[in-house]
Amino acid sequence: MPLTLRSEPGLPDSAIVVRGGAMLARDLALAAQRTEADLGYPGVSVFASPSLGFRELVLAAPALRVYSVVRRSTAAAVRALGCELIATGAPPHYTLRLPDAEFPTLARLRDAFGPPIPNPGAR
């Protein structure tokens, strides 16, 4: 089922962006391919909010509960890579539109999210 687009103001540069898991290159590549098949462009699922802190954001995103670790970035950091944050699905879900799904882009994306952090919302 395709994701619905939400119409809302863009995220401020300071907004926290979280992705579940270790962000291995092969996992990012598969996610980017699935998103391209569904939405017509390469991308990955992330969670973000203009007002929530890290812990609150993770707890507000039930889909993140299955991950033992999460990785954290900011809207400014992912935009600096040429990515676009598109409000999709139910808040706080976003699709991070990638300029391409090539390995160097995926490696820069992974690096922009910093090291894995224990997930405060893990089951």
Side-chain angles (χ1 to χ4, degrees):
M1 181 166 102
L3 290 173
T4 57
L5 298 177
R6 298 191 318 268
S7 177
E8 54 191 56
L11 291 167
D13 284 346
S14 61
I16 294 170
V17 180
V18 175
R19 176 153 171 92
M23 294 182 70
L24 301 175
R26 72 173 184 273
D27 296 336
L28 291 173
L30 288 171
Q33 291 168 0
R34 281 193 303 270
T35 300
E36 188 160 18
D38 290 344
L39 299 178
Y41 52 81
V44 297
S45 290
V46 296
F47 297 88
S49 169
S51 60
L52 296 176
F54 169 72
R55 182 174 175 74
E56 294 79 18
L57 175 58
V58 170
L59 296 175
L64 288 174
R65 292 185 189 139
V66 300
Y67 297 99
S68 61
V69 296
V70 294
R71 294 181 73 154
R72 171 184 171 166
S73 189
T74 64
V78 297
R79 286 185 186 124
L81 300 173
C83 298
E84 179 184 3
L85 286 155
I86 302 169
T88 54
H93 186 269
Y94 280 76
T95 296
L96 186 60
R97 183 178 186 162
L98 303 169
D100 60 65
E102 301 299 320
F103 180 77
T105 300
L106 299 176
R108 285 191 300 274
L109 177 65
R110 181 195 60 233
D111 293 346
F113 273 77
I117 302 165
N119 183 353
R123 293 185 203 213

